[in-house]
Amino acid sequence: MPETANIKKNFLINILPIFFLLLSACAINGSIFRNKHQAFVSDDFVIVKTTAQDTFSSLAAYYLKDPNKGWQIAEFNRMTTLIPGQELIIPLSPFNKAGLKANGYQTVPILVYHNFSKKKSDKTAVSQNDFEAQMKYLKQNGYHVVSIDQLLNFIDYKTQLPEKSIVITFDDAWRSAFDIALPILIKYGFTATFFIYTDFIGGGKALTWKQIETLSKIGFDIQCQTKTHRNLAVPKKNESLKEYFKSIEMEINYPKKLIKSKLNIDCKYLAYPYGETNNLVIALLKKYGYQAAFTIDRNPNPFFVDKYKIYRSVIYGSYDMDNFKNNLSVFQKTELK
Amino acid sequence: MRKSINVTLMIIMLSLFSGWASPVDTFGDDSHKGPEKSQRDKSVFSSSYYLKKAMTYKNNDELQLALFFLKIAAALSPSDMEIAGKVTDLKLTIDRKSKSHFRKGEKFYSQNNIEKARNQFLTVLRYDPDNKDALDYLKNKLIPKEYINYTFEQNDSLKTISNKFYKDPELVFLIVYFN
């Protein structure tokens, strides 16, 4: 018994003070960095008077638990900069999931690039300078480059996107996309999706599996564009319907399996070669678990777009900045009242 | 015994200095914590400002925003019956307008006027973002299907169905594959 009493005594003298010291240190540290707001918090919104330390991002980090949602606060309050002492409303859930207004609805453009060249551009190869100028334009003009996953959440009416949202995609798997476009994307902090057709991989001008793995590891999205890049919508000459069916089934199924085995990535989306599709192709895509598919019909996307006919706009090497800007429409005017 | 008292005193002192467990109700940048519902600063904010904003949105036919700001005004002045009445009235207006546009949308849909039907259902959703029926039209009924649902009838065979829909009895394999 006396031994037990000694243990208790030692615990009280030695361990407890250290425990409380540590706890106190944490509390002192927290209070130094506290950023005092006058605020009113309800279930649906917060009213806050901003301080000099606040940014949209810091407010979103605290109140919405996501620093990337600063745009949600900025757009709701229709402001671009914060002034200390300003009264702000922070909606605690999306306030306009489909981007609907009395005079129209939100649309999201998707850009498609193919090949790139260091200097000269041609029909499909965009020059390095042109690509840099286009990305710079997006950055300087407040566009938010979002992923296809984010776009699909918007299309599924689950989450709201920033008013000026855009998606960037690359078709085929050209090596020049890695050598020329990638450093520019990284410079501007933009994400993108690479649709690859697997027979092309490892060819002279194509990406290697190693490069595709690198793209995936640094956060870029890898998706399918069939095995051979055949036109899925049109049977070949002398191809019976049964042969055509077997062929497109293989085009849809094989690359999905290959990408899974090489990179452990589940392909959810497919870009149609030449942008063409038909009902049989769509039925097969659904059977093989694809959640959406992409054409090259030149339109931006409202939330009610057909998920298996999502629009994209090809950016050609011959485009000047005006041609480029014509593909960035983020709102469709129509009377909704 | 004296040593024990010293230890206890030290603990109390540490707690006081640190502010540990103190009831300060401020919002910090420690983002792991998140906001808690608080009425503390309610008097700082004016309900009349939000009421005015709500009326501006209402006049511009932005009824969801008007409702949102009316709810803010109501939360700041919970005993103000006039604001509570405005909330109720606006909800009724939203309900009436969304029902009217939904009926128009269904009429256009029955006439196969897809474009006009879509605009009506979009208008419903603008007034009433949680309207599941309008959303169903926009996301399902207005999008062409790549298949037809067919109920097997007496005397049907796969070949007759294939002939009926594909005009080719040899395409039975497609029906078999997808079923």
Side-chain angles (χ1 to χ4, degrees):
Chain A
M1 277 305 279
E3 210 173 273
T4 316
N6 258 342
I7 291 168
K8 272 187 184 170
K9 196 176 163 188
N10 281 339
F11 178 77
L12 271 174
I13 292 169
N14 299 320
I15 307 296
L16 263 185
I18 293 168
F19 171 72
F20 278 101
L21 260 173
L22 285 172
L23 203 59
S24 314
C26 291
I28 289 165
N29 190 34
S31 68
I32 285 170
F33 291 104
R34 275 195 182 182
N35 181 9
K36 290 180 185 176
H37 287 139
Q38 285 182 311
F40 174 76
V41 185
S42 87
D43 290 335
D44 303 322
F45 61 86
V46 178
I47 314 175
V48 65
K49 271 203 200 287
T50 58
T51 68
Q53 288 78 42
D54 288 328
T55 61
F56 289 119
S57 178
S58 70
L59 290 169
Y62 185 69
Y63 291 106
L64 304 175
K65 302 213 170 73
D66 184 353
N68 296 319
K69 285 194 174 164
W71 61 268
Q72 200 165 301
I73 301 170
E75 285 184 9
F76 186 85
N77 292 278
R78 298 182 187 185
M79 51 174 63
T80 50
T81 49
L82 283 180
I83 301 162
Q86 200 167 19
E87 204 165 303
L88 273 186
I89 298 293
I90 302 174
L92 296 178
S93 52
F95 56 90
N96 190 356
K97 279 188 282 191
L100 300 172
K101 291 183 178 171
N103 64 339
Y105 52 82
Q106 182 178 3
T107 55
V108 182
I110 305 178
L111 307 180
V112 191
Y113 292 93
H114 292 86
N115 201 358
F116 293 87
S117 64
K118 274 276 177 198
K119 287 181 182 161
K120 273 178 119 181
S121 51
D122 60 33
K123 171 110 166 111
T124 58
V126 176
S127 75
Q128 185 173 19
N129 284 347
D130 284 353
F131 187 67
E132 165 89 38
Q134 289 164 8
M135 296 302 105
K136 190 176 178 183
Y137 179 84
L138 295 180
K139 192 76 175 181
Q140 288 182 338
N141 287 277
Y143 286 88
H144 294 253
V145 178
V146 299
S147 67
I148 291 185
D149 283 343
Q150 288 172 294
L151 173 75
L152 260 291
N153 279 333
F154 166 75
I155 290 172
D156 286 338
Y157 200 61
K158 286 180 184 164
T159 56
Q160 190 169 348
L161 284 181
E163 283 173 0
K164 289 176 86 173
S165 290
I166 191 163
V167 176
I168 298 173
T169 64
F170 297 88
D171 275 9
D172 303 342
W174 292 92
R175 182 177 292 215
S176 60
F178 189 91
D179 296 335
I180 296 169
L182 181 65
I184 296 168
L185 288 174
I186 291 170
K187 176 181 171 184
Y188 289 100
F190 291 163
T191 189
T193 293
F194 290 76
F195 287 104
I196 61 174
Y197 76 92
T198 52
D199 276 7
F200 189 40
I201 307 305
K205 292 183 175 179
L207 290 168
T208 62
W209 284 110
K210 190 79 199 154
Q211 285 170 321
I212 295 170
E213 191 181 11
T214 303
L215 283 170
S216 175
K217 277 185 178 164
I218 60 176
F220 288 92
D221 184 27
I222 308 298
Q223 298 294 336
C224 287
Q225 200 192 14
T226 71
K227 179 178 183 291
T228 70
H229 202 275
R230 75 162 283 176
N231 188 329
L232 298 178
V234 185
K236 288 177 185 167
K237 205 177 172 186
N238 301 325
E239 193 175 37
S240 73
L241 201 70
K242 213 162 198 170
E243 288 166 340
Y244 163 66
F245 174 78
K246 284 287 162 202
S247 170
I248 56 171
E249 186 186 32
M250 183 267 296
E251 293 282 356
I252 286 167
N253 186 26
Y254 175 83
K256 195 175 168 74
K257 278 186 183 168
L258 187 63
I259 291 170
K260 178 73 181 172
S261 72
K262 293 265 188 193
L263 307 167
N264 198 27
I265 291 172
D266 290 309
C267 278
K268 296 182 283 185
Y269 314 123
L270 181 132
Y272 300 115
Y274 312 102
E276 291 191 33
T277 187
N278 62 29
N279 285 344
L280 184 58
V281 173
I282 292 171
L284 277 168
L285 288 176
K286 289 183 180 176
K287 189 167 173 64
Y288 281 100
Y290 286 91
Q291 293 167 21
F294 297 77
T295 69
I296 48 169
D297 293 340
R298 194 174 291 280
N299 275 310
N301 296 283
F303 85 99
F304 53 82
V305 69
D306 183 339
K307 280 203 280 187
Y308 291 86
K309 290 178 186 170
I310 295 177
Y311 304 120
R312 295 187 301 161
S313 303
V314 177
I315 303 300
Y316 291 114
S318 54
Y319 276 15
D320 60 17
M321 275 309 277
D322 284 338
N323 293 137
F324 175 73
K325 287 179 203 171
N326 287 340
N327 291 283
L328 305 179
S329 171
V330 293
F331 192 74
Q332 177 63 49
K333 279 188 181 173
T334 186
E335 192 173 276
L336 298 182
K337 56 181 174 181
Chain B
M1 183 64 193
R2 197 171 161 183
K3 209 166 189 178
S4 287
I5 290 167
N6 285 343
V7 169
T8 313
L9 278 175
M10 189 174 76
I11 291 165
I12 292 166
M13 288 298 284
L14 281 170
S15 302
L16 286 176
F17 277 125
S18 64
W20 169 65
S22 72
V24 179
D25 186 19
T26 53
F27 300 111
D29 56 0
D30 40 346
S31 57
H32 61 279
K33 195 184 160 209
E36 286 162 16
K37 201 172 167 181
S38 165
Q39 308 279 313
R40 188 177 57 88
D41 290 323
K42 193 158 71 174
S43 59
V44 174
F45 305 106
S46 150
S47 65
S48 61
Y49 171 72
Y50 292 103
L51 187 59
K52 204 172 155 190
K53 273 197 126 169
M55 291 304 112
T56 307
Y57 280 120
K58 191 183 171 199
N59 293 338
N60 291 334
D61 198 45
E62 296 284 358
L63 301 190
Q64 274 302 319
L65 279 173
L67 184 63
F68 192 86
F69 281 100
L70 268 183
K71 283 179 178 173
I72 294 174
L76 292 172
S77 299
S79 55
D80 189 327
M81 288 301 113
E82 197 186 329
I83 297 175
K86 283 181 192 295
V87 170
T88 309
D89 287 349
L90 187 56
K91 280 182 177 171
L92 288 172
T93 304
I94 287 171
D95 188 53
R96 183 174 46 77
K97 284 202 169 201
S98 61
K99 277 180 179 158
S100 160
H101 285 284
F102 189 82
R103 279 194 296 273
K104 283 182 193 168
E106 284 197 310
K107 193 177 173 191
F108 284 127
Y109 180 72
S110 70
Q111 294 164 352
N112 208 24
N113 193 336
I114 301 301
E115 205 57 44
K116 283 191 175 173
R118 179 178 291 127
N119 271 18
Q120 292 301 321
F121 293 125
L122 285 171
T123 307
V124 174
L125 217 54
R126 189 172 75 78
Y127 288 130
D128 176 12
D130 297 323
N131 193 307
K132 287 188 170 59
D133 295 327
L135 194 61
D136 185 42
Y137 268 101
L138 289 162
K139 299 296 297 173
N140 298 309
K141 292 178 181 163
L142 294 179
I143 293 177
K145 293 269 179 297
E146 72 283 359
Y147 59 85
I148 295 166
N149 283 324
Y150 178 75
T151 309
F152 209 76
E153 289 174 1
Q154 216 171 11
N155 302 326
D156 268 344
S157 71
L158 289 173
K159 278 204 170 188
T160 59
I161 296 170
S162 176
N163 202 33
K164 190 172 181 179
F165 290 100
Y166 297 128
K167 313 285 179 227
D168 184 348
E170 296 310 309
L171 296 185
V172 162
F173 76 93
L174 284 178
I175 300 169
V176 172
Y177 182 87
F178 286 106
N179 289 276

